[in-house]
Amino acid sequence: MVRHVQAVKYAIFRGYIRLPTWPTMNIFVLDCKNPKHLKLTAVEKFRILSIDGGGLRGVVPLTILKKVEEKIAPKKIWEYFDLIAGTSTGGLITCAITLKLPDQPGSKYTLNDIMEVYKNRGKEIFPPKGFLSGLLHKVTNLVNPSFSDKGIAKVFGDVLGNATMNDCLKPILVSTYDLSNNIPLFFKSNESKYDEKLNAKLYDICRATSAGPTYLPSYEFVYPKNQREENPNRNCIDGGVYVNNPAMAALAEFSKNHGYYQPATMDDADIDYNQVFVLSIGTGTYSCPIPAKQSKNAGELYWAKAISDIMMRGVNRTTDYEMKEMMVDGNYLRLNIEIDSDAHSNMADSSASTTDYLIGATEAQIINNVNKMAQLDSFLKKSK
């Protein structure tokens, strides 16, 4: 037995075995019958949670996640999933649900805590406009972002403090777009864990992924990744401009770096996708058709606002199509709602009426929908 233990230590030292670096639900069995050919065998499945962007419509995925957590009790969302990815508001939710308590086991925030932030502090980020201020607002929007960043800075600062990526209980992936280098940028735990310079503050990550063009100013901060090729002084906008639904990005992350997430697969070129599960949650879709007469005669003022919503819808549905084509039947589930009212489709609407509408629509279309709950039950049963 001592000889076997020494062999294991040697294999770890030489890099033949990488120990798990996160408190995941994965279990590993070590075969020491032949110390020259040590084998680490994974016996658990890999689960990915993906959360779309969508501003204050983040109450939609939070409502769904509360139901998921009810079904997987006593486990919490962060305990059940092995990788959590988010864009924009989904990035904030990702960081908040995985943020650990500073001095004891467990997460700092419950889903109810995060929901209260959206309900009670959304107005600080996107202050409602009165009639006269609304008219002035429309004029100033032509040359300035719709909202100041003072509100979002205060709310995100209060929620996230000085916590960093390595303070998350599970690996995360959050997207943004860097205008300084004109490239997509992903914040990934598998990088921050090995390079302290990439251990970014969650505040910076969430500001970067949430800086929606036309809504909020871009966000500048220093992130020294690939310094030989990239300017570390980043100027970031919302990741939703290219990957509002990060499900495929998360699957690609696991596919390329599966050896990090499941050390038993480190030497495997191929992945058994029968063991990979993805739950993708949207923030609602408003698909009001645009008549040809309107689109043909529309100019910059119209398209400047409409094109961002169109791009996000296109990205969301394209990603859903790709996931369905790639994933094993039953291993992928997409949950989202249809928003049937233009009055409640604005991602920056902080009114109580719109929040109540979105939660009510989620309950009606998902939570109280027998078919959707059957799909969720089937997904959770298979992924356990």
Side-chain angles (χ1 to χ4, degrees):
M1 179 63 187
V2 173
R3 187 179 72 228
H4 291 166
V5 171
Q6 291 173 337
V8 172
K9 289 181 178 179
Y10 177 79
I12 294 172
F13 173 76
R14 296 294 298 172
Y16 301 138
I17 296 175
R18 287 170 64 189
L19 293 177
T21 55
W22 291 91
T24 70
M25 298 305 298
N26 295 328
I27 301 173
F28 301 94
V29 177
L30 187 61
D31 180 3
C32 294
K33 292 182 179 179
N34 187 347
K36 292 179 111 180
H37 302 286
L38 293 170
K39 181 176 68 176
L40 206 59
T41 306
V43 297
E44 284 289 332
K45 300 167 183 178
F46 194 83
R47 309 173 193 89
I48 297 171
L49 172 63
S50 171
I51 309 171
D52 287 10
L56 295 181
R57 297 200 321 226
V59 296
V60 173
L62 284 170
T63 302
I64 295 172
L65 286 173
K66 287 168 68 175
K67 189 63 177 180
V68 174
E69 195 166 84
E70 178 185 312
K71 289 179 176 292
I72 62 174
K75 291 181 181 178
K76 301 298 183 183
I77 292 295
W78 66 266
E79 292 177 296
Y80 190 79
F81 292 94
D82 302 297
L83 171 63
I84 303 179
T87 292
S88 193
T89 198
L92 173 62
I93 294 172
T94 292
C95 292
I97 62 178
T98 58
L99 180 57
K100 68 180 182 180
L101 285 165
D103 301 317
Q104 54 186 305
S107 56
K108 183 174 182 179
Y109 298 111
T110 66
L111 292 171
N112 284 329
D113 293 334
I114 304 168
M115 179 69 86
E116 289 305 306
V117 172
Y118 278 80
K119 287 182 175 181
N120 298 328
R121 305 199 66 182
K123 293 181 177 63
E124 295 178 45
I125 301 173
F126 300 119
K129 308 292 182 181
F131 178 73
L132 293 178
S133 62
L135 292 177
L136 178 62
H137 184 68
K138 289 181 179 180
V139 175
T140 57
N141 283 358
L142 299 178
V143 292
N144 296 311
S146 298
F147 300 93
S148 163
D149 61 356
K150 291 181 180 179
I152 195 170
K154 180 66 167 67
V155 174
F156 282 19
D158 290 345
V159 173
L160 302 168
N162 292 315
T164 67
M165 290 190 78
N166 290 347
D167 291 318
C168 292
L169 292 160
K170 283 292 180 68
I172 64 171
L173 180 148
V174 179
S175 65
T176 187
Y177 192 87
D178 175 16
L179 296 173
S180 294
N181 296 283
N182 207 24
I183 57 171
L185 180 62
F186 292 94
F187 304 100
K188 303 189 291 185
S189 293
N190 97 37
E191 295 175 341
S192 70
K193 205 66 179 175
Y194 294 118
D195 187 345
E196 183 59 31
K197 296 191 300 295
L198 302 183
N199 184 24
K201 288 184 178 181
L202 298 182
Y203 172 85
D204 289 330
I205 291 172
C206 289
R207 285 294 309 275
T209 193
S210 300
T214 75
Y215 290 99
L216 291 161
S218 60
Y219 182 70
E220 297 180 85
F221 75 115
V222 177
Y223 186 67
K225 180 179 180 180
N226 298 331
Q227 291 191 76
R228 292 184 179 179
E229 302 174 8
E230 300 173 16
N231 179 358
N233 298 304
R234 312 287 178 168
N235 180 29
C236 295
I237 58 174
D238 197 317
V241 298
Y242 72 100
V243 64
N244 197 60
N245 175 349
M248 181 59 70
L251 182 62
E253 163 66 12
F254 174 70
S255 298
K256 180 180 179 180
N257 301 299
H258 56 87
Y260 168 79
Y261 295 99
Q262 290 194 336
T265 67
M266 185 165 34
D267 296 325
D268 299 336
D270 298 321
I271 301 171
D272 180 9
Y273 283 97
N274 287 294
Q275 296 295 93
V276 182
F277 298 84
V278 180
L279 175 61
S280 174
I281 304 180
T283 58
T285 298
Y286 177 62
S287 302
C288 179
I290 300 175
K293 182 178 180 180
Q294 184 176 6
S295 62
K296 287 180 178 180
N297 297 319
E300 291 182 11
L301 293 180
Y302 173 82
W303 287 114
K305 199 73 172 178
I307 197 66
S308 61
D309 291 336
I310 293 170
M311 286 192 301
M312 284 196 298
R313 285 199 299 270
V315 167
N316 291 348
R317 298 204 171 186
T318 299
T319 302
D320 183 40
Y321 164 78
E322 293 167 344
M323 293 297 293
K324 287 176 178 175
E325 290 295 304
M326 286 195 62
M327 294 292 292
V328 174
D329 288 346
N331 286 26
Y332 168 72
L333 179 62
R334 171 74 170 170
L335 295 175
N336 200 10
I337 67 167
E338 291 291 332
I339 299 173
D340 59 11
S341 168
D342 178 62
H344 299 302
S345 65
N346 187 349
M347 293 179 288
D349 187 348
S350 58
S351 67
S353 60
T354 289
T355 299
D356 291 342
Y357 167 86
L358 292 170
I359 293 174
T362 306
E363 291 174 345
Q365 296 179 38
I366 304 292
I367 308 304
N368 298 325
N369 184 308
V370 175
N371 290 333
K372 292 294 184 182
M373 285 298 99
Q375 292 174 12
L376 178 59
D377 289 338
S378 177
F379 174 86
L380 294 175
K381 180 179 180 180
K382 190 176 181 184
S383 63
K384 282 184 180 178

